Amino acid sequence: MDYELMEFEPFQEDMSYSGIQMWVKDSRVIFVKEYEAKSLFLDWYISEQPLIASIYNYLSANHKNNIYFFMILNFDLNNDDDLALTINKVIKDEYVCKKYVFQSIDEITDVPFLNNQFIKIPQFDYDQEFKSGILNFNMINHFVGEEKESLDSFYSLASNLLDYYFTSYSVLEETSKLEKDIINIGIRSVSDED
């Protein structure tokens, strides 16, 4: 991307104190700050906005139209509706510069001039690959009669167990409930044979 970290001498001490970095490429200036607490983020207009506005006054005309402030939230959001409203207000506030609030690295593709810099790679689904690898029984078609029925029954049981595992492994459950569910899956699979 070829952006260079710039030290703006008259304000370098204030920028370091605030934890703001200034990146420059051609006529574009990007300020970046990571917020590790909600209270720090809510005070951005008191601490960071005036600093960026002061630097704005020293920039050349071609830089003034291309100033961006990337605000990275590195704290637990916990479905906070008030915080969501504040984030929307920050994004819509274009005083001095255009602002972007990032809650995850994937959101960087929302920035128009960076969108083409990142290739979206499809997420690898480990669970599906594991499940399909286990259930890949190409040899089932080679068997006939009772052997094929036994393999079909095993395949059905394995499929049910894997489905259960992948829908519940992330949820903490009591061991006795887990054991009962697995036994029920086995009973259902055996009764399906009859």
Side-chain angles (χ1 to χ4, degrees):
M1 292 190 305
D2 300 329
Y3 283 88
E4 292 183 23
L5 184 62
M6 183 174 181
E7 293 185 3
F8 199 70
E9 231 11 81
F11 298 99
Q12 189 56 40
E13 188 175 316
D14 293 331
M15 287 173 54
S16 294
Y17 179 75
S18 291
I20 294 180
Q21 295 179 337
M22 182 177 173
W23 295 84
V24 178
K25 178 184 176 185
D26 301 327
S27 64
R28 187 170 289 133
V29 178
I30 301 173
F31 293 94
V32 179
K33 174 155 183 180
E34 179 179 3
Y35 294 91
E36 295 183 350
K38 178 181 173 181
S39 59
L40 295 173
F41 172 69
L42 294 176
D43 289 339
W44 71 273
Y45 59 90
I46 295 171
S47 52
E48 285 76 43
Q49 180 98 339
L51 178 59
I52 293 171
S54 298
I55 293 171
Y56 175 87
N57 293 327
Y58 287 88
L59 295 175
S60 63
N62 64 337
H63 282 111
K64 287 183 178 181
N65 292 330
N66 286 312
I67 301 176
Y68 302 89
F69 184 20
F70 291 179
M71 307 165 97
I72 302 164
L73 305 185
N74 190 10
F75 56 87
D76 191 16
L77 302 175
N78 285 334
N79 298 327
D80 188 339
D81 292 335
D82 292 334
L83 183 60
L85 289 173
T86 302
I87 290 170
N88 285 337
K89 287 179 187 176
V90 168
I91 292 169
K92 290 178 182 177
D93 176 10
E94 293 191 15
Y95 178 70
V96 180
C97 61
K98 175 81 174 135
K99 297 162 189 76
Y100 291 93
V101 178
F102 302 109
Q103 300 170 36
S104 75
I105 191 68
D106 297 331
E107 294 174 351
I108 201 157
T109 57
D110 294 342
V111 180
F113 62 87
L114 292 177
N115 192 15
N116 61 354
Q117 307 262 338
F118 297 94
I119 300 170
K120 290 198 174 187
I121 299 171
Q123 290 283 333
F124 183 75
D125 188 354
Y126 293 99
D127 293 348
Q128 187 58 40
E129 282 296 315
F130 176 74
K131 186 176 175 182
S132 64
I134 287 179
L135 297 178
N136 187 11
F137 293 111
N138 294 332
M139 62 183 175
I140 281 183
N141 295 327
H142 301 298
F143 292 100
V144 291
E146 193 174 304
E147 290 174 338
K148 182 169 177 38
E149 288 176 18
S150 294
L151 280 175
D152 285 341
S153 174
F154 172 76
Y155 179 81
S156 173
L157 175 62
S159 179
N160 287 338
L161 284 171
L162 286 171
D163 285 340
Y164 177 79
Y165 173 76
F166 285 109
T167 57
S168 66
Y169 73 94
S170 61
V171 179
L172 296 176
E173 297 183 279
E174 295 179 16
T175 305
S176 60
K177 183 179 182 326
L178 180 65
E179 290 170 354
K180 288 176 188 175
D181 288 343
I182 290 173
I183 290 169
N184 286 335
I185 289 170
I187 290 171
R188 279 194 309 250
S189 296
V190 171
S191 64
D192 289 343
E193 290 177 20
D194 298 336

XYZ file of all heavy atoms in Angstrom, residues 29-87:
498
model
N -4.004 11.542 3.623
C -3.513 11.486 4.999
C -4.483 10.635 5.815
O -5.696 10.877 5.793
C -3.419 12.898 5.630
C -2.956 12.812 7.076
C -2.500 13.788 4.819
N -3.946 9.653 6.525
C -4.775 8.793 7.366
C -4.253 8.859 8.797
O -3.078 8.578 9.050
C -4.750 7.325 6.880
C -5.246 7.224 5.448
C -5.583 6.449 7.813
C -5.099 5.834 4.856
N -5.139 9.232 9.703
C -4.834 9.183 11.131
C -5.406 7.875 11.667
O -6.525 7.496 11.323
C -5.472 10.361 11.874
C -4.876 11.689 11.500
C -5.452 12.473 10.515
C -3.743 12.153 12.142
C -4.912 13.701 10.172
C -3.184 13.377 11.797
C -3.766 14.156 10.808
N -4.642 7.191 12.507
C -5.075 5.905 13.051
C -4.928 5.936 14.562
O -3.887 6.357 15.090
C -4.228 4.742 12.484
C -4.663 3.412 13.082
C -4.288 4.707 10.972
N -5.991 5.499 15.246
C -5.924 5.375 16.703
C -6.707 4.142 17.127
O -7.798 3.888 16.646
C -6.503 6.594 17.405
C -6.558 6.357 18.920
C -6.536 7.553 19.755
C -6.511 7.118 21.215
N -6.495 8.185 22.108
N -6.115 3.390 18.062
C -6.774 2.222 18.634
C -7.315 2.606 20.008
O -6.602 3.158 20.838
C -5.780 1.067 18.775
C -6.389 -0.169 19.374
C -5.392 -1.313 19.492
O -4.210 -1.127 19.151
O -5.809 -2.383 19.942
N -8.597 2.310 20.209
C -9.253 2.588 21.492
C -9.419 1.283 22.247
O -10.040 0.353 21.751
C -10.626 3.237 21.267
C -10.532 4.606 20.645
C -10.567 4.770 19.272
C -10.399 5.731 21.443
C -10.468 6.024 18.698
C -10.305 6.997 20.875
C -10.342 7.131 19.510
O -10.241 8.375 18.950
N -8.876 1.234 23.453
C -8.946 0.013 24.250
C -9.998 0.090 25.343
O -10.151 -0.853 26.116
C -7.577 -0.309 24.829
C -6.578 -0.646 23.719
C -5.224 -1.046 24.241
O -4.974 -0.891 25.457
O -4.423 -1.512 23.432
N -10.724 1.198 25.404
C -11.797 1.341 26.393
C -12.901 2.204 25.800
O -12.645 3.138 25.031
C -11.274 1.970 27.679
N -14.104 1.895 26.164
C -15.271 2.628 25.664
C -15.188 4.105 26.032
O -15.490 4.977 25.223
C -16.542 1.995 26.237
C -17.816 2.676 25.831
C -19.020 2.001 26.452
C -20.290 2.767 26.186
N -21.457 2.124 26.799
N -14.758 4.400 27.263
C -14.697 5.789 27.723
C -13.734 6.620 26.880
O -13.996 7.791 26.604
C -14.303 5.850 29.194
O -13.044 5.241 29.391
N -12.627 6.019 26.463
C -11.674 6.738 25.606
C -12.287 7.033 24.243
O -12.102 8.115 23.685
C -10.396 5.925 25.437
C -9.571 5.690 26.701
C -8.430 4.735 26.415
C -9.057 7.005 27.253
N -13.018 6.063 23.706
C -13.669 6.269 22.414
C -14.736 7.357 22.500
O -14.850 8.195 21.608
C -14.293 4.965 21.909
C -15.130 5.142 20.686
C -14.547 5.463 19.469
C -16.502 5.009 20.744
C -15.320 5.635 18.328
C -17.283 5.183 19.616
C -16.686 5.495 18.410
N -15.514 7.374 23.582
C -16.593 8.353 23.709
C -16.062 9.784 23.822
O -16.793 10.738 23.548
C -17.467 8.011 24.918
C -18.252 6.694 24.792
C -19.019 6.406 26.081
C -19.189 6.715 23.606
N -14.788 9.944 24.200
C -14.190 11.273 24.322
C -13.345 11.674 23.113
O -12.564 12.611 23.188
C -13.321 11.342 25.587
C -14.150 11.352 26.852
O -15.346 11.699 26.782
O -13.595 11.021 27.918
N -13.508 10.987 21.988
C -12.679 11.250 20.820
C -12.770 12.697 20.358
O -11.796 13.291 19.928
C -13.046 10.311 19.659
C -14.382 10.648 19.056
C -15.591 10.202 19.460
C -14.621 11.542 17.982
N -16.585 10.751 18.699
C -16.018 11.584 17.775
C -13.813 12.313 17.161
C -16.604 12.364 16.798
C -14.404 13.091 16.176
C -15.787 13.107 16.004
N -13.962 13.287 20.459
C -14.149 14.653 19.958
C -13.490 15.686 20.871
O -13.268 16.819 20.466
C -15.636 14.967 19.773
C -16.449 14.847 21.049
C -16.626 15.920 21.897
C -17.019 13.632 21.407
C -17.344 15.796 23.072
C -17.741 13.497 22.570
C -17.898 14.590 23.398
O -18.615 14.452 24.566
N -13.152 15.294 22.103
C -12.471 16.198 23.028
C -10.960 16.087 22.864
O -10.245 17.087 22.916
C -12.867 15.875 24.496
C -14.344 16.154 24.706
C -12.015 16.672 25.471
C -14.877 15.660 26.036
N -10.473 14.885 22.659
C -9.019 14.698 22.602
C -8.461 14.620 21.181
O -7.476 15.289 20.867
C -8.622 13.452 23.403
O -9.394 12.348 22.990
N -9.044 13.808 20.310
C -8.472 13.616 18.978
C -8.943 14.633 17.939
O -8.156 15.101 17.117
C -8.773 12.199 18.466
C -7.941 11.123 19.114
C -8.382 10.765 20.518
O -9.599 10.649 20.758
O -7.502 10.608 21.381
N -10.218 14.981 17.959
C -10.748 15.908 16.948
C -9.996 17.249 16.945
O -9.604 17.717 15.878
C -12.253 16.121 17.161
C -12.885 17.066 16.168
C -13.573 16.355 15.026
O -13.303 15.202 14.726
N -14.465 17.055 14.388
N -9.759 17.882 18.098
C -9.020 19.157 18.067
C -7.588 19.019 17.547
O -7.090 19.897 16.843
C -9.011 19.611 19.533
C -10.118 18.871 20.179
C -10.254 17.585 19.436
N -6.951 17.894 17.868
C -5.582 17.664 17.401
C -5.558 17.540 15.878
O -4.735 18.159 15.204
C -5.006 16.409 18.059
C -3.600 16.000 17.656
C -2.598 17.125 17.953
C -3.205 14.730 18.379
N -6.481 16.766 15.338
C -6.551 16.600 13.879
C -6.906 17.931 13.215
O -6.347 18.291 12.177
C -7.553 15.489 13.503
C -7.023 14.133 13.985
C -7.800 15.455 12.001
C -8.008 12.991 13.859
N -7.807 18.701 13.841
C -8.180 20.015 13.293
C -6.974 20.960 13.293
O -6.792 21.741 12.348
C -9.327 20.608 14.101
N -6.151 20.903 14.312
C -4.952 21.751 14.368
C -3.965 21.376 13.280
O -3.371 22.244 12.625
C -4.278 21.629 15.740
O -5.141 22.075 16.748
N -3.769 20.076 13.077
C -2.863 19.602 12.026
C -3.417 19.983 10.654
O -2.674 20.369 9.751
C -2.642 18.080 12.146
C -1.881 17.769 13.433
C -1.888 17.536 10.934
C -1.793 16.295 13.774
N -4.730 19.911 10.510
C -5.419 20.260 9.260
C -4.996 21.656 8.786
O -4.768 21.882 7.599
C -6.927 20.196 9.484
C -7.769 20.651 8.322
C -8.136 19.764 7.316
C -8.220 21.966 8.226
C -8.920 20.170 6.261
C -9.002 22.384 7.175
C -9.352 21.486 6.187
O -10.114 21.892 5.140
N -4.883 22.590 9.701
C -4.525 23.966 9.351
C -3.136 24.079 8.740
O -2.844 25.047 8.047
C -4.626 24.870 10.578
C -6.058 25.021 11.046
O -6.986 25.011 10.240
N -6.250 25.133 12.341
N -2.265 23.118 8.991
C -0.891 23.151 8.473
C -0.714 22.352 7.179
O 0.344 22.393 6.575
C 0.087 22.606 9.526
C 0.306 23.556 10.670
C -0.520 23.531 11.787
C 1.342 24.482 10.629
C -0.321 24.402 12.827
C 1.551 25.359 11.679
C 0.711 25.318 12.781
O 0.906 26.196 13.821
N -1.727 21.623 6.780
C -1.605 20.771 5.595
C -1.817 21.567 4.311
O -2.504 22.597 4.304
C -2.619 19.626 5.653
C -2.426 18.624 6.791
C -3.558 17.612 6.805
C -1.081 17.911 6.680
N -1.257 21.064 3.229
C -1.439 21.714 1.925
C -2.867 21.487 1.436
O -3.574 20.596 1.912
C -0.432 21.145 0.914
O -0.690 19.774 0.718
N -3.272 22.260 0.457
C -4.651 22.199 -0.050
C -4.999 20.819 -0.603
O -6.114 20.330 -0.393
C -4.855 23.268 -1.122
N -4.064 20.162 -1.287
C -4.392 18.851 -1.858
C -4.517 17.774 -0.770
O -5.165 16.765 -0.987
C -3.391 18.437 -2.943
C -1.994 18.240 -2.407
O -1.629 18.780 -1.365
N -1.198 17.493 -3.147
N -3.929 17.967 0.383
C -4.096 17.030 1.501
C -5.410 17.269 2.241
O -6.007 16.333 2.782
C -2.945 17.151 2.499
C -1.692 16.476 2.038
N -0.574 17.190 1.686
C -1.386 15.172 1.862
C 0.374 16.341 1.317
N -0.096 15.125 1.409
N -5.857 18.512 2.291
C -7.038 18.852 3.106
C -8.312 18.145 2.646
O -9.217 17.924 3.427
C -7.256 20.368 3.124
C -6.238 21.080 3.967
C -6.510 22.554 4.045
C -5.489 23.219 4.953
N -5.720 24.651 5.081
N -8.389 17.788 1.386
C -9.586 17.108 0.888
C -9.493 15.592 1.006
O -10.417 14.889 0.601
C -9.832 17.486 -0.577
C -10.221 18.935 -0.716
O -10.832 19.504 0.180
N -9.851 19.544 -1.826
N -8.395 15.094 1.511
C -8.178 13.653 1.601
C -7.684 13.240 2.985
O -6.687 12.527 3.107
C -7.154 13.201 0.552
C -7.733 13.184 -0.836
O -8.817 12.655 -1.033
N -7.017 13.757 -1.786
N -8.365 13.682 4.011
C -7.982 13.324 5.381
C -8.988 12.315 5.922
O -10.202 12.513 5.817
C -7.950 14.558 6.305
C -6.967 15.592 5.766
C -7.553 14.151 7.716
C -6.952 16.876 6.562
N -8.449 11.254 6.512
C -9.281 10.179 7.056
C -8.800 9.860 8.466
O -7.612 9.953 8.767
C -9.186 8.928 6.178
C -9.604 9.196 4.757
C -8.683 9.628 3.815
C -10.931 9.040 4.367
C -9.057 9.899 2.521
C -11.321 9.309 3.067
C -10.378 9.737 2.150
O -10.763 10.010 0.868
N -9.756 9.471 9.302
C -9.435 9.078 10.671
C -9.989 7.679 10.893
O -11.196 7.473 10.877
C -10.048 10.080 11.664
C -9.703 9.832 13.106
C -8.604 9.076 13.486
C -10.489 10.387 14.106
C -8.299 8.861 14.822
C -10.192 10.177 15.443
C -9.095 9.417 15.802
N -9.078 6.707 11.050
C -9.467 5.324 11.303
C -9.457 5.082 12.804
O -8.406 5.181 13.444
C -8.501 4.343 10.634
C -8.560 4.325 9.134
C -7.712 3.490 8.433
C -9.437 5.118 8.413
C -7.740 3.450 7.045
C -9.486 5.080 7.036
C -8.628 4.247 6.350
N -10.619 4.778 13.338
C -10.774 4.531 14.775
C -10.995 3.035 14.976
O -12.002 2.492 14.532
C -11.949 5.348 15.297
C -11.834 6.820 14.949
S -13.370 7.721 15.163
C -13.095 8.390 16.782
N -10.057 2.394 15.636
C -10.103 0.943 15.828
C -10.569 0.655 17.251
O -9.923 1.075 18.213
C -8.719 0.322 15.574
C -8.258 0.673 14.162
C -8.750 -1.178 15.813
C -6.794 0.453 13.914
N -11.693 -0.041 17.370
C -12.246 -0.364 18.683
C -11.735 -1.725 19.118
O -12.052 -2.742 18.508
C -13.773 -0.354 18.645
C -14.428 0.929 18.132
C -15.941 0.840 18.256
C -13.903 2.153 18.857
N -10.961 -1.736 20.185
C -10.385 -2.971 20.696
C -10.886 -3.204 22.120
O -10.101 -3.278 23.069
C -8.853 -2.916 20.659
C -8.231 -4.245 20.960
O -8.909 -5.272 21.025
N -6.930 -4.243 21.164
N -12.197 -3.251 22.247
C -12.821 -3.551 23.535
C -14.135 -4.257 23.273
O -14.648 -4.236 22.155
C -13.017 -2.289 24.385
C -13.808 -1.194 23.720
C -15.193 -1.165 23.793
C -13.167 -0.182 23.022
C -15.923 -0.162 23.181
C -13.887 0.835 22.411
C -15.267 0.840 22.487
N -14.675 -4.886 24.301
C -15.903 -5.669 24.161
C -17.091 -4.728 23.986
O -17.338 -3.855 24.819
C -16.082 -6.548 25.398
C -17.173 -7.578 25.213
O -17.582 -7.809 24.057
O -17.607 -8.161 26.225
N -17.842 -4.928 22.901
C -18.970 -4.042 22.597
C -20.265 -4.471 23.280
O -21.140 -3.649 23.521
C -19.173 -3.952 21.086
C -17.949 -3.458 20.316
C -18.198 -3.507 18.828
C -17.560 -2.073 20.746
N -20.428 -5.767 23.548
C -21.579 -6.304 24.297
C -22.939 -5.792 23.850
O -23.784 -5.433 24.668
C -21.424 -6.008 25.792
C -20.415 -6.900 26.450
O -20.174 -8.008 25.978
N -19.817 -6.434 27.524
N -23.185 -5.723 22.554
C -24.497 -5.298 22.030
C -24.986 -4.013 22.690
O -26.142 -3.888 23.055
C -25.532 -6.414 22.200
C -25.146 -7.644 21.415
O -24.544 -7.524 20.354
N -25.484 -8.810 21.928
N -24.114 -3.065 22.835
C -24.413 -1.787 23.478
C -25.094 -0.867 22.458
O -24.458 -0.372 21.529
C -23.112 -1.172 24.002
C -23.331 0.056 24.846
O -24.401 0.688 24.731
O -22.421 0.399 25.620
N -26.408 -0.642 22.635
C -27.165 0.177 21.685
C -26.698 1.632 21.679
O -26.629 2.262 20.624
C -28.665 0.118 21.991
C -29.253 -1.258 21.719
O -28.672 -1.994 20.889
O -30.277 -1.599 22.339
N -26.386 2.162 22.855
C -25.897 3.547 22.922
C -24.573 3.694 22.175
O -24.343 4.685 21.485
C -25.719 3.999 24.381
C -27.050 4.133 25.104
O -28.076 4.366 24.426
O -27.066 4.012 26.347
N -23.717 2.708 22.322
C -22.436 2.742 21.627
C -22.647 2.644 20.115
O -21.979 3.333 19.345
C -21.531 1.612 22.110
C -20.133 1.579 21.526
C -19.366 2.858 21.847
C -19.376 0.374 22.041
N -23.582 1.809 19.691
C -23.883 1.684 18.262
C -24.358 3.023 17.693
O -23.961 3.415 16.589
C -24.928 0.601 18.033
N -25.195 3.734 18.440
C -25.653 5.062 17.995
C -24.487 6.047 17.921
O -24.386 6.839 16.987
C -26.734 5.589 18.945
C -28.082 4.878 18.878
C -29.010 5.385 19.985
C -28.736 5.083 17.526
N -23.607 5.985 18.910
C -22.438 6.865 18.917
C -21.540 6.569 17.722
O -21.042 7.496 17.069
C -21.645 6.694 20.232
O -22.503 6.991 21.332
C -20.442 7.608 20.267
N -21.343 5.301 17.416
C -20.523 4.926 16.259
C -21.138 5.494 14.979
O -20.433 6.046 14.135
C -20.357 3.393 16.174
C -19.467 2.891 17.308
C -19.800 2.968 14.814
C -19.427 1.383 17.454
